[in-house]
Amino acid sequence: MARLDQLSPLARGLAELAATIGRDFTFEVLAQASGAGEDMVVRGLDELWQHRIVQERAGDAYDFSHDKLREVACAELSEARRRMLHRHVASALETVHADRLDAVAARVAAHYERGGEPQEAEAYYRRAARVAEAMQSQEDAARYRQRASALAEEDPSAAS
């Protein structure tokens, strides 16, 4: 927590958003989800990198230097902010991966679910199940169908 407390508000906000995205994240998804300009995102990421909060990976990918940093960044979020960030991440994934949504359908579904959007989550879980079936991954397909059905039962108007 002390390391995160040393950050500027910009870098702290990006750390919270990156932690919401998950273990690793790309610049493109982070920038899209943040709604900030490229210069601001680069400035915030540079600060996170200089404080050794994140580390660069191959391509434009980043990761937290330690899982505890990601966990603390998530734990400090209010429930309302966490839900909002998950919705922003889901939307960013849809935009960034618009030409290959099947590949990220399960991730989008999980973010919409955590963001309090059961109808969107259900649709993406069903899509992820179809993708898994096509890839001969029956276990994954069953898990995604089960999650979609559970969401539909919680909100009958969401059934598709």
Side-chain angles (χ1 to χ4, degrees):
M1 192 177 311
R3 289 179 65 189
L4 293 174
D5 286 341
Q6 297 173 8
L7 300 172
S8 69
L10 170 65
R12 178 68 181 250
L14 286 176
E16 292 168 352
L17 181 56
T20 303
I21 293 170
R23 167 164 268 132
D24 59 348
F25 57 94
T26 64
F27 175 85
E28 194 174 8
V29 171
L30 184 68
Q32 183 69 38
S34 74
E38 183 178 3
D39 289 347
M40 296 292 286
V41 176
V42 168
R43 191 174 313 135
L45 262 178
D46 280 351
E47 184 178 340
L48 292 172
W49 178 77
Q50 289 166 355
H51 282 87
R52 293 186 173 90
I53 304 295
V54 299
Q55 52 196 356
E56 295 176 317
R57 296 286 185 208
D60 73 340
Y62 294 84
D63 190 4
F64 280 83
S65 59
H66 196 287
D67 283 339
K68 285 291 182 192
L69 291 167
R70 184 175 42 81
E71 291 170 17
V72 169
C74 277
E76 294 294 305
L77 296 172
S78 69
E79 187 57 34
R81 181 159 170 77
R82 183 178 294 114
R83 280 192 310 271
M84 179 194 70
L85 291 178
H86 277 295
R87 289 191 301 271
H88 287 302
V89 171
S91 179
L93 288 168
E94 287 176 315
T95 300
V96 170
H97 299 285
D99 60 340
R100 55 190 188 282
L101 277 173
D102 285 352
V104 295
R107 288 180 60 199
V108 174
H111 283 291
Y112 270 133
E113 182 176 4
R114 292 179 193 130
E117 299 289 342
Q119 291 178 337
E120 288 83 356
E122 180 193 358
Y124 273 102
Y125 277 127
R126 291 193 188 286
R127 183 177 190 153
R130 288 190 301 272
V131 170
E133 285 173 343
M135 295 178 70
Q136 306 280 329
S137 180
Q138 298 306 319
E139 185 178 312
D140 287 343
R143 188 176 71 244
Y144 297 140
R145 274 195 306 277
Q146 181 181 30
R147 197 64 218 124
S149 294
L151 288 168
E153 287 175 17
E154 291 172 14
D155 181 10
S157 68
S160 51

